[in-house]
Amino acid sequence: MKSFQLSFLTFFLFLLSLNLAEAGFDYGEALEKSLLFFEAQRSGKLPPDQRVEWRGDSGLRDGFEQGVNLVGGYYDSGDHVKFGFPMAYAVTMLSWGAIEFEKEMAASNQLEHALSAIRWGTDYFIRAHKQPNLLWAQVGDGDSDHGCWERAEDMKTPRTAYKIDPEHPGSDIAGETAAAMAAASIAFRPYNSSYSNLLLLHAKQLFSFADTFRGRYDDSIPVARQYYPSSSGYSDELLWAAAWLFEATDDQYYLKYVVENSEPMGGTGWAVREFSWDNKYAGLQVLLSKVLMEGAAFLLAVYSGYLSMSNAKLSCAEGQIPSSDLLKFAQSQVDYILGKNPKSMSYFVGYGPNYPTKVHHRGSSIEPKSMLPSPVGCVEGFHRWYDSKQSNPNVLIGALVGGPDKNDGFSDDRSNYEQTEPSLASNAPLVGVFAKLKSMPYAPEIAPKELRKPQSTFHGVPVQFIHSITNSWVSEGATHYRHKVIVKNISKKPITELRLSFENLTGELWGLSPSSDKNVYVLPSWLKVLHPGEEFSFVYIQGGPQAKVSIIGYH
């Protein structure tokens, strides 16, 4: 299953806080349609408010042969297998979009649909996780499923269910499902606290299961290996799940887990060129940048909103990249999808006047039950519908197909699955992307004004400190605070080699580089010069009063 290699680019766009230029595309329409795709992928007993009418009830006995109710969840792509690994990743990304752009989705009247899409997945995961150390990871297998072209409503292919347990571990899929449940618990917290708490309970159990009984899920479930192999291993999912649990709970145990395991588990101290259903390291770096900021071992893929606030730049081997340039490039990729490309074709089905009409998708390609009540068999499905040169009778609205080749070539052919098949994993990040692009200019949350008064401005020294407390928590009976300090150049000249001395610093500090002198720090490695009007931030964690910061030198 091939798809747009957009994950790393769209991921940057996924966490923006910058104004965007008008590109002539209706991102609100794209947002609405992106959520319709997930309704078309639903398995199980459909709700009364189902909007994709050609999709009917299906998979109503999933798991019954194994004595478990696995009805529900999502079909992965154009087939009818329920692959738990990419499904969990899709729910994580849908949840992240709802968390980051809750107000934007609400303003577009799409938040309820987004939460429904998330819950269709999390309800299924709850059914699949009946015991703390057991998770049903897949229903159906690709080999038998791909040998039959039929509607889900007529399905006669084997619906074998596969699980992981202590004797057959799967730390990657258990970790990703834990991340999905933790992220979803945050998304639901303002609207359904009891459901949020239930999701968090499952997330904690799944993380413990993943960490205690370690192993790759595709070793325990070989039938998944051909389609969704865990090529990056499971360390990234363990760190990713711990990071999301810290976001959901503020429990220092999970942050400590990431800190202590970041080096041995890899991926947090080097540049990562991929973010996908398989490799979560870039996502981990961005998620933790909200906590630790630049200068810690975690952050190489920089959170663009942080870059914007601090007027910083992303340092790459080829040079420095302003956050605005990174954002423009990411936006250009989305615009390419919607039609700004050499073929003037939208690769987002149902959007614009020219989009793929022969999508590699069983349900979309066969007339619905309302028009063709009699069952469609496997052979008939191939001869009458798969081989047809006609457009699909059901438009798979909101589906991002695999897309063009490296030369912008594209063949709208049902048999060309590499270019015409959609998937949950490719579509999920777009929901948050479209919500951001649709939104009015967005300003990131800041600390209350009373906490942002200048701490001190040194006479004769052209630097101002703005100190705030951004979070607090209780651990082992003591209250700890996360302090954030913005350092701003208020002069008309650039500043280099700034040296800061700290008194009463008892905790960890991120965002500055230590010098050879005790308790003295210098500008972080990525920031060689602080230009007039520019600012950057550092954070530290400790109990009790804030540390005293003094300037002992600069050029």
Side-chain angles (χ1 to χ4, degrees):
M1 279 163 241
K2 299 287 179 100
S3 61
F4 273 106
Q5 297 301 308
L6 292 174
S7 47
F8 193 64
L9 300 174
T10 55
F11 186 70
F12 272 119
L13 186 57
F14 186 76
L15 289 174
L16 309 176
S17 59
L18 297 173
N19 298 345
L20 294 162
E22 177 61 43
F25 293 106
D26 188 341
Y27 299 119
E29 177 189 349
L31 170 61
E32 180 178 1
K33 290 180 174 179
S34 68
L35 289 165
L36 285 172
F37 169 75
F38 288 90
E39 294 194 19
Q41 296 301 106
R42 283 174 171 171
S43 177
K45 180 68 176 178
L46 302 183
D49 60 354
Q50 170 79 9
R51 295 178 295 169
V52 179
E53 296 180 354
W54 54 263
R55 169 62 78 205
D57 298 342
S58 62
L60 299 181
R61 295 185 58 82
D62 280 358
F64 283 20
E65 291 183 7
Q66 286 77 26
V68 61
N69 180 3
L70 297 178
V71 175
Y74 289 107
Y75 299 124
D76 177 65
S77 50
D79 52 29
H80 297 140
V81 183
K82 294 193 292 198
F83 290 104
F85 196 18
M87 189 195 306
Y89 166 78
V91 171
T92 305
M93 298 309 294
L94 286 171
S95 299
W96 202 345
I99 294 166
E100 293 293 334
F101 302 121
E102 175 188 14
K103 295 178 181 178
E104 291 84 347
M105 288 187 183
S108 299
N109 296 317
Q110 297 303 313
L111 181 60
E112 182 178 354
H113 294 307
L115 292 175
S116 294
I118 295 167
R119 183 156 188 169
W120 196 263
T122 53
D123 281 352
Y124 171 76
F125 295 145
I126 289 172
R127 287 192 287 274
H129 182 231
K130 288 298 186 183
Q131 301 174 31
N133 294 334
L134 183 148
L135 177 67
W136 292 92
Q138 182 173 320
V139 179
D141 71 88
D143 292 342
S144 63
D145 184 273
H146 287 185
C148 190
W149 196 263
E150 62 184 351
R151 297 176 297 200
E153 297 81 3
D154 298 330
M155 200 156 34
K156 295 295 188 296
T157 51
R159 301 299 290 169
T160 307
Y162 303 88
K163 66 180 178 180
I164 57 169
D165 56 29
E167 289 73 36
H168 309 89
S171 299
D172 27 33
I173 189 171
E176 183 59 57
T177 309
M181 299 296 244
S185 75
I186 302 173
F188 277 100
R189 188 174 296 155
Y191 309 101
N192 190 332
S193 60
S194 60
Y195 188 65
S196 173
N197 291 335
L198 176 62
L199 294 175
L200 198 54
L201 173 63
H202 282 278
K204 292 177 178 179
Q205 291 180 348
L206 283 163
F207 175 74
S208 177
F209 172 37
D211 189 39
T212 304
F213 303 98
R214 295 189 181 185
R216 282 177 50 158
Y217 94 107
D218 54 353
D219 286 336
S220 297
I221 307 176
V223 294
R225 191 174 300 148
Q226 180 181 347
Y227 302 96
Y228 286 100
S230 183
S231 301
S232 67
Y234 54 78
S235 294
D236 53 332
E237 279 81 26
L238 289 176
L239 295 170
W240 175 243
W244 272 113
L245 277 162
F246 175 69
E247 284 289 300
T249 65
D250 250 354
D251 187 336
Q252 291 297 294
Y253 167 81
Y254 297 108
L255 181 59
K256 184 180 179 182
Y257 181 95
V258 178
V259 171
E260 292 180 349
N261 289 285
S262 60
E263 183 174 353
M265 289 187 176
T268 54
W270 39 270
V272 183
R273 295 181 179 270
E274 174 190 355
F275 177 70
S276 68
W277 57 265
D278 180 39
N279 192 323
K280 313 301 177 351
Y281 285 122
L284 171 69
Q285 292 172 354
V286 174
L287 184 61
L288 288 176
S289 72
K290 299 170 67 176
V291 180
L292 302 179
M293 295 197 179
E294 174 64 55
F298 302 106
L299 182 60
L300 286 175
V302 182
Y303 177 39
S304 62
Y306 163 69
L307 282 175
S308 175
M309 280 198 301
S310 61
N311 291 319
K313 297 179 179 180
L314 176 64
S315 295
C316 300
E318 294 79 8
Q320 290 188 330
I321 304 174
S323 57
S324 58
D325 286 355
L326 180 131
L327 174 57
K328 290 176 183 177
F329 180 64
Q331 185 186 7
S332 72
Q333 305 304 289
V334 175
D335 291 348
Y336 181 102
I337 291 173
L338 297 181
K340 193 175 182 181
N341 54 63
K343 286 187 172 293
S344 297
M345 169 174 276
S346 168
Y347 296 106
F348 190 64
V349 178
Y351 184 93
N354 183 27
Y355 53 82
T357 63
K358 303 179 186 67
V359 180
H360 182 93
H361 190 277
R362 290 157 175 75
S364 173
S365 67
I366 304 175
E367 286 185 349
K369 285 282 190 179
S370 60
M371 298 178 64
L372 185 64
S374 59
V376 175
C378 291
V379 177
E380 178 189 359
F382 277 110
H383 289 320
R384 183 177 177 185
W385 301 103
Y386 180 81
D387 294 333
S388 172
K389 302 303 180 184
Q390 301 298 313
S391 298
N392 287 2
N394 308 311
V395 180
L396 190 62
I397 294 176
L400 174 66
V401 298
D405 60 25
K406 63 182 180 180
N407 298 316
D408 292 304
F410 181 80
S411 174
D412 187 11
D413 189 317
R414 202 169 291 112
S415 64
N416 181 18
Y417 68 90
E418 290 189 340
Q419 294 190 319
T420 63
E421 187 173 21
S423 70
L424 294 176
S426 294
N427 279 258
L430 284 178
V431 177
V433 172
F434 291 141
K436 174 57 193 173
L437 293 173
K438 169 64 172 64
S439 71
M440 297 295 290
Y442 171 78
E445 293 184 4
I446 58 176
K449 290 183 179 180
E450 61 268 19
L451 293 178
R452 288 179 53 85
K453 296 177 181 178
Q455 174 186 335
S456 60
T457 301
F458 293 82
H459 296 291
V461 177
V463 173
Q464 183 182 62
F465 296 92
I466 301 176
H467 194 110
S468 63
I469 297 175
T470 60
N471 201 0
S472 64
W473 61 92
V474 177
S475 177
E476 298 181 352
T479 302
H480 299 266
Y481 300 90
R482 183 186 296 122
H483 300 262
K484 178 179 179 180
V485 182
I486 298 175
V487 183
K488 183 175 183 179
N489 182 352
I490 58 175
S491 76
K492 297 182 179 180
K493 296 182 180 180
I495 296 175
T496 61
E497 300 182 25
L498 181 66
R499 293 170 58 83
L500 302 178
S501 174
F502 287 78
E503 297 180 28
N504 303 321
L505 179 64
T506 60
E508 297 293 330
L509 181 148
W510 297 275
L512 292 172
S513 297
S515 72
S516 57
D517 298 327
K518 184 178 181 181
N519 296 327
V520 174
Y521 292 80
V522 297
L523 291 174
S525 58
W526 57 264
L527 183 62
K528 304 299 183 184
V529 180
L530 188 63
H531 294 286
E534 285 188 343
E535 59 187 39
F536 74 97
S537 306
F538 64 86
V539 296
Y540 62 92
I541 296 174
Q542 66 180 29
Q546 65 191 44
K548 181 180 178 181
V549 186
S550 303
I551 297 177
I552 60 175
Y554 70 94
H555 286 166

